[in-house]
C-alpha cells in the first residue's frame, strides 16, 4: 500500500480497516493533549523556541504546534470551540506566567482575581465560576446554578445559552481552513454532556440524590438541556459537517472501580438522550464518526453506548477495574474504534521507567491495532511533571512500530 494522507489513514482505521500505519493523535481533543508546563519542557528538549498558547484554561492545555505534530507523527487536528472554557474566547492572546514560572500566552479575556487564600478566581456577574488553588495546576468549577432547584419552575429559571452566530461563523471558517490547508483528519469538539454536566451544574451530592429520589425532575432538566444541545448540534453540523471526520461528545461515566451509576439507571435516565444526539449525527452525517470521551471502569456501560449509536471510545482507561485491553478489543472491536489506549498516564507514563513506557506502548499497540479501529494516543492528557524524555519515548516507540505489515 502506498503511503496515505493522515486524513485517509484515520478514515480508513475508523472504518475498521488496516491503513498503511496506525494513526496517531496528539492533542486533537481535550483529553489527548499535554499540560502547558510539560509542553514547555518538551519544546525546550527539542530546541523549539516559540510562544506556547494555553487554549484550554480549565485543564491548562497547550495548543500543539505544527512542528511538534510533525515530529510526533500526528494525524489529527482539533476544531476548537470559540470559547473552550468559562465563556472566554480564544481570539486574542496575552503573555502570562504558568504555575512553574514558565511563560505562555493565555486568552486576553482571562483575568483571574487572587483571593485571600492566594487562589485564582474567575468571576462572572459577581459569581466565582472557577478557581485554581494556590498550589494547583487546574481550575475547578465552582458555580452550581441548579444547586437549590426543587421544582420544574426552578429549572426553567436557569438560562441555557444558544450557540451564537458569531461562533457558527468562526467554526465554519476554521473548519474550512483546516480541511483545505492540512491533510490531517479533523476532530470537532462539540461536548453535549448529559450526565457529567449535571454534576457540574447541580453539585455531585445533590445530583445523585435527585437521580434516585426525584428522577422526573432530573429528566425535566435533561429534556431542556438536550433540546438545547440538539438545537446547537444541528447548527454546528450544518456549518462544519462537510469538513470534520469525528464529532466529540464527552460524559465521564466511570470511577476507578466501577461505573458511577448502575447500568439500569443509565438505561432509564441517560441513554435516551445520548441516543437522540448520536443517532442524529449518524442518520444525517454518516461520514462523521460519533466519539465519546468517558473515563473510568465503564465495561458494563459499553454495550449500552454502542446500542445508543457510539462508534469511537476514548480514552480507554486500562488502569481502571475490568478494563482489560485484550477483552475490550475482542468483545467490542467489531463495533467500536478505540481512540487512546496507547500508554497509561495514570500509572506507567507518570511513574514508570523509560523502558516500561516503551514496552507498554508496544504491548497495547499489538492488542489494539489488528484489523484497524485504533487511533493511538496516550490515555488522557500528559500531566505537568512528565518529563520530555518520557513523552518522546511514547511517540518514538509508536512511530517505530506503527506500520502495518502488508
Amino acid at each position: 500500500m502506498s503511503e496515505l494522507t493522515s486524513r485517509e489513514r484515520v478514515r480508513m482505521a475508523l472504518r475498521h480497516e488496516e491503513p498503511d500505519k496506525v494513526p496517531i493523535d496528539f492533542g486533537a481533543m481535550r483529553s489527548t493533549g499535554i499540560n502547558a508546563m510539560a509542553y514547555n519542557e518538551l519544546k525546550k528538549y527539542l530546541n523549539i523556541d516559540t510562544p506556547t498558547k494555553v487554549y484550554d484554561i480549565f485543564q491548562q492545555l497547550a495548543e500543539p504546534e505544527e512542528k511538534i505534530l510533525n515530529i510526533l507523527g500526528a494525524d489529527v487536528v482539533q476544531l476548537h470551540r470559540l470559547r473552550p472554557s468559562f465563556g472566554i474566547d480564544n481570539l486574542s492572546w496575552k503573555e502570562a506566567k504558568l504555575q512553574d514560572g514558565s511563560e505562555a500566552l493565555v486568552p486576553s479575556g482571562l483575568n483571574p482575581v487572587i483571593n485571600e487564600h492566594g487562589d485564582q478566581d474567575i468571576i462572572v456577574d459577581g459569581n466565582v465560576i472557577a478557581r485554581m488553588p494556590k498550589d494547583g495546576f487546574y481550575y475547578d468549577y465552582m458555580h452550581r446554578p441548579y444547586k437549590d432547584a426543587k421544582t420544574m419552575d426552578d429549572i426553567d429559571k436557569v438560562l441555557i445559552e444558544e450557540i451564537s452566530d458569531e461562533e457558527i461563523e468562526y467554526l465554519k471558517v476554521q473548519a474550512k481552513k483546516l480541511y483545505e490547508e492540512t491533510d490531517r483528519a479533523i476532530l470537532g469538539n462539540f461536548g453535549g454532556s448529559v450526565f457529567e454536566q449535571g454534576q457540574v451544574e447541580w453539585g455531585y451530592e445533590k445530583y445523585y440524590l435527585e437521580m434516585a429520589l426525584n428522577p422526573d425532575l432530573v429528566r425535566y432538566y435533561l429534556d431542556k438541556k438536550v433540546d438545547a444541545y440538539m438545537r446547537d448540534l444541528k447548527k454546528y453540523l450544518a456549518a462544519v459537517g462537510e469538513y470534520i471526520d469525528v464529532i466529540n461528545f464527552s460524559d465521564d461515566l466511570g470511577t476507578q472501580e466501577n461505573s458511577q451509576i448502575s447500568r439500569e439507571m443509565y438505561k432509564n435516565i441517560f441513554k435516551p438522550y445520548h441516543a437522540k444526539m448520536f443517532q442524529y449525527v449518524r442518520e444525517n452525517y454518516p461520514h462523521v464518526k460519533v466519539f465519546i470521551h468517558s473515563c473510568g471502569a465503564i465495561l458494563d456501560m459499553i454495550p449500552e453506548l454502542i446500542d445508543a449509536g457510539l462508534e469511537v471510545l476514548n480514552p480507554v482507561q486500562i488502569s481502571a477495574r475490568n478494563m482489560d485491553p485484550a477483552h475490550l478489543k475482542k468483545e467490542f472491536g467489531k463495533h467500536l474504534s478505540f481512540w487512546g489506549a496507547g500508554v497509561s498516564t495514570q500509572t506507567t507514563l507518570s511513574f514508570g521507567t523509560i523502558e516500561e513506557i516503551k514496552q507498554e506502548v508496544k504491548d497495547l499497540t499489538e492488542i489494539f491495532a489488528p484489523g484497524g479501529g485504533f487511533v493511538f494516543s496516550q490515555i488522557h492528557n500528559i500531566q505537568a511533571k512528565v518529563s520530555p524524555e518520557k513523552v518522546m519515548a511514547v511517540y518514538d516507540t509508536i512511530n517505530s512500530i506503527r506500520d502495518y505489515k502488508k
Side-chain angles (χ1 to χ4, degrees):
M1 179 186 293
S2 60
E3 184 164 326
L4 302 173
T5 67
S6 287
R7 190 171 296 149
E8 291 168 338
R9 183 174 300 129
V10 172
R11 288 175 174 178
M12 195 168 176
L14 296 182
R15 293 197 302 266
H16 296 269
E17 301 170 14
E18 291 186 355
D20 57 339
K21 302 176 182 180
V22 172
I24 292 173
D25 168 25
F26 181 79
M29 54 89 60
R30 294 169 71 185
S31 300
T32 62
I34 182 168
N35 178 276
M37 290 180 281
Y39 186 70
N40 277 345
E41 290 298 314
L42 177 63
K43 289 203 298 184
K44 190 186 303 181
Y45 180 82
L46 296 171
N47 295 313
I48 296 173
D49 184 17
T50 54
T52 292
K53 287 183 176 178
V54 181
Y55 81 91
D56 182 326
I57 300 165
F58 170 40
Q59 299 177 100
Q60 297 287 284
L61 297 180
E63 174 71 19
E65 296 154 71
E66 179 74 12
K67 191 168 186 178
I68 297 289
L69 296 180
N70 290 335
I71 291 170
L72 301 186
D75 293 299
V76 194
V77 287
Q78 178 174 182
L79 175 60
H80 293 297
R81 295 296 295 262
L82 176 59
R83 297 176 176 86
S85 306
F86 312 126
I88 299 172
D89 71 57
N90 283 353
L91 295 175
S92 62
W93 305 86
K94 63 183 181 182
E95 295 179 353
K97 296 278 189 183
L98 301 176
Q99 295 294 81
D100 65 350
S102 64
E103 296 179 348
L105 299 176
V106 300
S108 296
L110 176 62
N111 296 296
V113 175
I114 307 301
N115 67 22
E116 65 272 22
H117 304 293
D119 310 326
Q120 298 182 40
D121 289 347
I122 296 176
I123 301 174
V124 176
D125 296 331
N127 295 308
V128 177
I129 65 166
R131 172 173 293 156
M132 183 188 289
K134 180 180 178 181
D135 298 317
F137 294 128
Y138 317 102
Y139 279 93
D140 299 316
Y141 288 104
M142 302 299 293
H143 185 49
R144 316 291 185 193
Y146 297 93
K147 65 183 176 64
D148 297 319
K150 296 182 175 64
T151 67
M152 293 174 183
D153 286 342
D154 293 334
I155 302 294
D156 290 339
K157 292 174 185 175
V158 179
L159 175 68
I160 301 176
E161 293 187 1
E162 182 173 358
I163 192 169
S164 67
D165 292 341
E166 177 194 17
E167 178 161 13
I168 290 296
E169 184 59 29
Y170 168 86
L171 289 165
K172 189 183 300 183
V173 169
Q174 294 303 313
K176 187 173 188 291
K177 182 177 181 179
L178 291 172
Y179 186 82
E180 293 177 348
E181 297 183 9
T182 81
D183 70 355
R184 292 186 170 96
I186 302 171
L187 189 152
N189 277 278
F190 179 73
S193 167
V194 291
F195 177 74
E196 189 177 352
Q197 193 64 23
Q199 294 171 328
V200 171
E201 294 185 332
W202 296 62
Y204 282 76
E205 182 177 357
K206 180 175 176 60
Y207 198 48
Y208 287 127
L209 287 171
E210 298 295 353
M211 278 184 235
L213 301 177
N214 199 358
D216 286 343
L217 185 65
V218 172
R219 288 191 185 94
Y220 185 77
Y221 158 78
L222 292 171
D223 284 342
K224 292 182 70 72
K225 181 66 68 175
V226 175
D227 282 349
Y229 286 156
M230 289 300 300
R231 173 199 66 204
D232 291 350
L233 181 62
K234 291 172 183 178
K235 292 174 67 175
Y236 180 93
L237 286 169
V240 307
E242 65 183 296
Y243 302 118
I244 66 173
D245 300 285
V246 184
I247 185 167
N248 171 32
F249 297 87
S250 185
D251 237 331
D252 283 342
L253 296 168
T255 69
Q256 192 68 30
E257 293 297 318
N258 213 326
S259 53
Q260 294 196 50
I261 55 174
S262 70
R263 183 171 176 174
E264 198 62 28
M265 180 175 279
Y266 174 75
K267 288 170 64 176
N268 289 339
I269 298 180
F270 296 97
K271 182 180 176 181
Y273 299 104
H274 278 152
K276 186 174 184 177
M277 294 186 288
F278 297 172
Q279 294 299 335
Y280 177 81
V281 179
R282 295 192 63 169
E283 290 168 9
N284 293 279
Y285 298 86
H287 65 286
V288 178
K289 298 300 182 183
V290 175
F291 172 121
I292 198 169
H293 167 79
S294 186
C295 289
I298 58 168
L299 181 66
D300 56 338
M301 296 295 186
I302 292 175
E304 303 301 336
L305 289 165
I306 293 171
D307 188 56
L310 183 66
E311 297 173 280
V312 185
L313 179 65
N314 166 270
V316 197
Q317 189 183 334
I318 61 167
S319 57
R321 190 170 68 87
N322 289 333
M323 295 290 285
D324 175 70
H327 177 74
L328 292 172
K329 180 69 173 182
K330 180 180 178 181
E331 188 71 18
F332 305 114
K334 291 181 180 179
H335 307 286
L336 279 183
S337 293
F338 298 98
W339 191 300
V343 64
S344 173
T345 53
Q346 187 179 33
T347 54
T348 315
L349 183 57
S350 294
F351 304 109
T353 66
I354 296 291
E355 287 308 311
E356 288 169 339
I357 290 167
K358 291 179 178 179
Q359 191 61 52
E360 185 163 283
V361 169
K362 292 174 183 176
D363 291 345
L364 291 172
T365 301
E366 186 175 337
I367 290 169
F368 284 108
F374 180 49
V375 176
F376 178 94
S377 183
Q378 72 280 341
I379 301 169
H380 220 297
N381 297 317
I382 296 170
Q383 299 301 296
K385 296 185 179 181
V386 173
S387 71
E389 290 85 358
K390 288 185 172 184
V391 177
M392 293 310 301
V394 172
Y395 285 90
D396 284 345
T397 302
I398 184 58
N399 275 288
S400 73
I401 63 171
R402 66 187 293 205
D403 288 358
Y404 280 95
K405 304 293 189 291
K406 300 295 182 185

